[in-house]
Amino acid sequence: MGVANTVDRFEWFTLEDEVDYYRVGALVGLAMVSAASVRMLYEITVILGGSTRLLIGVTAAIIAAWLVAKRFPLRTALYIFSGLVFISYLWYFFAVGGDLRMIVTTPYLIIAHTLDDTITILTGMSVLTIGETDVWARSFAPAPIFLAWYLGFRRRYALASMVAGGMMLVFVFSGDLGWWWTLFGSTGIVLTLGFGAFEARRASVKHVEWLVIIIAVMATTALLVPFIPGGGAMGPLSFIDDDTEGNHSTIESNVVGSGSELRIVGEVDLSPTVRYTIESSDDVYWRTGIYDRYTGSGWVRTGDLEPYTGPQDGPESGQTVIQDVRIESPIDRLPAASRPTSISGMGDISVSEHGSFVADEQLEPGTTYRVASVLPDPADIDEDGDYPTALYEHYTQLPEDMPSRVHDVTAELTEGADGPVEKAQIIEAWLQHEKDYSWNVSRPSGDVADAFIFEMDAGYCTYFATAMVAMLRSADVPARMAVGYANGQQVDDDRYVVRGMNSHAWVEVYVPDAGWMTFDPTPPAEWSGERTDILEQAREDGVENVDTDESADLPFDYEPDLNGDGDENDTINDTDQNGLDDDDQLIGGPDDPIPEPGAVHDFGIDLDEFRAQDTGGQLPGDDDEGVWGLPDRDVLGLLAIVLSGLIAGAHRVNAHDRMRRQLRLRWHRRASGSIDDFNRSLERVEWVLASKYRPRRPHETQRKYHRLYSMSHDDARVDRVFELCEQARFAGEIDSQRAEEVVKLTNEIVADTVVFGGRLLPSRSNTAS
Amino acid sequence: MVTNTNVPLTRRGWFVVGTILVVFILGLLFGPRSLNAVFAPAFIALVVALWQVRRVDRPGMQRHIPEDGTVGEQVTVEIESTSETDHLGRIADQVSDGLMAKGNEAAIDIDRGHIYELTLRQRGRHHVGPMSVSVTDIFGLAERTFEYRAIDELLVYPRTYDIGSEGLERLARLAGIRLHRERHEFDRLREYRPEDSLRDIHWKTSAKRPDVDFIVKEFVRETDRGTLLLSGESSDEGDDALADILASLSTALLRRGINVSLETADGSIEPTAGVDDLTRILIALATLGPGKPSRHGDVHVIANGPDVRAATIEIGDEQLSFASLMGGDRSTAAEEEAALAQVPAQGVAD
C-alpha cells in the first residue's frame, strides 16, 4: 500500500477549519470506543471495589498519552506500552498469589493459566468469574488506553481504533458488554476511521453525509439482521432467549440452570416436571451450586471445575448423610447436601471450587448415584473465633454502589446480636416475617437487595436469599447464596420426589470453626398451596413426567409440620441441615432475640425511615427493561441515529427537490396568466409523452418532436397544447384565457395517463397507432 | 486500466474480513452474545467498500505544471479533477531524478484535486509523470488504481549569478568591448508615438501619469550592440558549473548591450535579432554536457569542478577566476526610478 494515510506528528489543537473539526470527530470516536471498555471495567470495580482507582488510572493514562505524543515517536510509545503491560501483568500475578519462585520453576503453568483465562473469556464466560477481577481490571486498563490515545493524538487512527477496539472485544467475547454498548463502541470505531480519513485528505464536507448514512444502515442492520445465528440474533429485541431476561423462565432454569452467572429476573414459572427421586435419611437441602459474587443485579460464580478424583475433604466431625438419587429426567446437576464428600455410581464428574458436583454430560433418566455428605457439627462453633482472611474478604464483597441503608437497617436489626449465628437467625426471621412470598414480581431497577428490602412487598427465594446475604455481608459476616432443590414430595419414609418447582435458593453462612451453615429466609408455608395447584392441574391435563410411579397416587401434600407438633407454620427445616435435632436451636436461651417460629414479633424496624434516605446515584443496570426490553434512552438514541441517516440520505439524493418536481409535474392548480403556465404545461406534456411515446432527444426541437408525435398519434389535446405554447413563446400571445385553456388541457392529458402518485400508464383513449 | 485483482480489498480490508470471520466462528461456537453489533457494522463497511470501488468510473485528472524553471526554484504542480468522483483516494505522481517533490504521494479527496511542490534541483530536461490515482472507500478497505500515462516535460535552466559591474567592466576592458550604460532591457522611457508597438508600453509608469497618453519603453537599437564570442569547456563534474557561468555571463552581457554567441562542446549559438537570444542560450545551456568546444572564444571559461568560484576565465592572455567577477545585487527598483526620472515631468507640449 505504500503511502501512509496520515502524517505522524503532533499538532496543536486549534479549531480553525474543517480539518480540525474532523480531528475532533476522530477523537470523539476514539472516546466512544474507550468508553465502552472503561465502562465495563468501571462496572467490575464498582462490584468488586476500586472504582476510583480505576478512573484515576485511566485518566492518568490519557494524560500521559497526550504528553508523550507531543514529542516522542511511535517507537518510544511502544516501549512504554510494553513496560506498562509487563508491570500490570506482574502486579496481577502477585495479587493472585503467585511468587517469584513460580516464575522460575514453573513458567509453563503461568502461561497455561493465562491461556486458560483467555479461553474462558473467549468462550463467553463473564470476566467476573476470573479470580481477582478487580485487580485485573485496574492493572489491565492503563496500558491499552495509553497506547490507543497516543496513536489517536498522533493521528494514526487505524492503529488507535485497532487497539481500543481490541480492548472492547475482550468484553464482547466474554459476554459482559451489552448490545447497546457494543454498538456504541463499534460506531466509535467507524467515526474514528471515517473522520481520520477525512482529516488526512482535507476532504470536503459532503463526505460526512455519506458517513452518517452508513452509520444509520449499520445500526439498523445490527438490530434487525441476525448475521450470527443463535438466540441473541435480534440483539435487544430478542424474545427467544429462554435462560435469563424477561419472558417467564422457570424458576428452575433461572436458579439451578444458570451457569456461572445468575441474573435475577422478574416473574417466573413453576415446572411440575419430576427431576429426581431421592432417598435420604434426613430431609436436607440438596444443593447443586453456590454463588459468591454479588453484582447488584445478579450473581456470579468464580472458580473452575476440576475433575472429580475421589473423596473430598469435609468438616472433620459432623454427621454423615447418605443420599441415593435416581434421575427422572435429563439433567446434569447432581444435588447433594452440603457438604458432599464422595459420590459413586457415576461416570465423569467434576467438582467446583466450592465442593458441588456437576456431571460432565447430561444424564439420562434411570441413572442412579449415591452421594455421601458431611453436615456441619454445631459443637464446633467457636463464638469468638476468627474468619480466615481470604475467605472473609471474598465472602463479604458487595458492590460499591449498593445503598448504605442496607447496612443501616441491618445494623439496627442486629443490634445486640453476638456473632454470625445470632445475626443470621435474626435476619432470617425478620425476612420471613416482613416479606410475603410470590413468584409474580417485576424485576426492580437498581440494586436488587436494596429494592427488595425497601421497595418490594413480596418476592421468591432468589430475592429472599439475595437480601439476606447482602445484609449479612454488610454486617461483616461472610455469606453466600446456595441453589438447588428443597422440600420434595414425601412419598415414603426417607423418600422424596423432587420436581422442577422445588428448585430453591437459600443462604450459607460461615461460622468459625464449624464451616458453612445453612439458613433459609424464605417463608415456607405460603408457597406450598400454589405448588399443589400446579401439580394437580398438570396431572389433570395429562402432562408428561410430572409423577413417578411412587408419587402418582399421592396427593401433593407438602407437610410443613416437620417437627410433628401440628403447627403448619414451622420455619423451613434447616435444623436438619445444620446437624441438629428437631427441637434444638443453634444458639438459644431465654434472653435471645430470636422469636419463636410463627410468633408475632416486633423487630422494632420502621422501613419508612430508611426509605426517605437518598440512595445515592446508582449505576442504572445494563438492561433496565423498557419498551422492547431496551432502556428508553437507548431506544431514543437508536431512533436518533436512524433518523439522521434518513435525513442525510434524503439530502444526498436531493429528495426534497425531486419530490417538488414530481408534484409540479402531476398538478398544476391554477393558471397564473404568465409565460410560466405555458412552459410548465409543455414540460408536463413532454413528461407524459416521454413514457407514452418517447422522450424528446436533446437536440430535437419541440416543434419537430411534436410533428413526429402527431404523425403516429391522433391527439387533439396535445396538438392544441403545443400550438398554444408556440404562440405564447414566439408570438407573445399570452392572456388569461389561453393560459387557463392550456392548463386545463394539460391537466386532462396528465389525468388520463397518470395514476395518482404512481407510474404513468398508457393512455386508454384515442391512440391511433 | 485497473491493475488490481478481482477482489479489490486492501490489506486493511483483509484484516477486517479476518476479524469478522473470527467473530462469526466464535459466535457460532460459543453463543452470539452481542457480537452482532460488531459483525454487522464491519460487514456493512466491507459491502459498501466493495460496491463503491467496483462501480466507480475512472476519475478525470489533469496535471498543470509550468514548462520551465530555474535551478533552485520551487514550482507548484497542480492536479485538477475534471470529473465528479465523490470518493476519497490516493495519488502518486512520479518525478524524474533531479526534481525533489514534496507531497507528490498523498492521500486526497479526489474531487478536490491535489497540489504539491517541486524543487528544481538539477538543470536539464526533466519529466513528471506517469501518475496513478487510487480510489478508495471511506474506511480504506478496498481500492482500485487507475494509471495516467501523461508525462509532462519540465526544462530546468541553469542558475544565473549576478555579475558585479566592476567585474564586468574589467572583463569588457580585457575583451576590448564597450558596454552600454547599466540599464535593464529597455533604454529609456518616453512618450508614446503612433508608430510604437503596443507591446512596448510601460504600464506602471503610464498609470502614474494619467494626463499623458502612454509611456513606452525604448529599446537599444540593434546596430548599437557589440558582439562577443563566449566559449566554455568542462570536465564531467564541471558541466553544471560551466552552464551556470555561461548563463550568468550571457545574461549580464546581453543586458549591457552586447550580443553573445556561444561555443560549447554541444555546438554553437549565433545571436539573432531581438531578445530571444537569452532564451535560446538558456535552453541550450539547460542541456549542456561536459567536453571541449571546437574553438575558443574571446572569453573562454574552464570549469573542472562543481564549484563555480573555482572556475577560470581566459581572456586573451589574462586569466581571472569567476569568483572575482561575482558581485552584489543592484536594486532593480532604484534602476527603474532612475529611468523614470528621465521622462519629462510635465506633459509634452505638442
Side-chain angles (χ1 to χ4, degrees), chain A residues 513-582:
Chain A
D513 295 354
W516 292 96
M517 308 201 79
T518 301
F519 291 85
D520 189 352
T522 310
E526 301 171 36
W527 48 297
S528 64
E530 316 190 49
R531 281 170 166 72
T532 312
D533 290 340
I534 287 181
L535 179 62
E536 278 173 11
Q537 187 66 43
R539 279 173 172 171
E540 266 179 43
D541 293 343
V543 176
E544 276 184 22
N545 223 9
V546 299
D547 273 309
T548 62
D549 296 333
E550 296 171 284
S551 71
D553 298 323
L554 292 174
F556 182 74
D557 205 7
Y558 167 68
E559 186 48 67
D561 178 21
L562 293 163
N563 54 12
D565 61 357
D567 184 348
E568 286 196 351
N569 280 335
D570 288 355
T571 58
I572 292 285
N573 197 5
D574 52 19
T575 51
D576 259 21
Q577 178 65 51
N578 287 329
L580 296 168
D581 293 331
D582 284 344

Side-chain angles (χ1 to χ4, degrees), chain B residues 246-291:
Chain B
L246 289 175
S248 314
L249 289 174
S250 306
T251 311
L253 289 167
L254 282 166
R255 208 182 276 166
R256 295 293 285 267
I258 310 291
N259 286 336
V260 174
S261 346
L262 206 59
E263 187 76 41
T264 61
D266 287 350
S268 54
I269 298 188
E270 299 297 324
T272 59
V275 296
D276 297 297
D277 277 358
L278 184 58
T279 313
R280 286 166 62 227
I281 289 173
L282 287 177
I283 290 177
L285 288 176
T287 52
L288 177 70

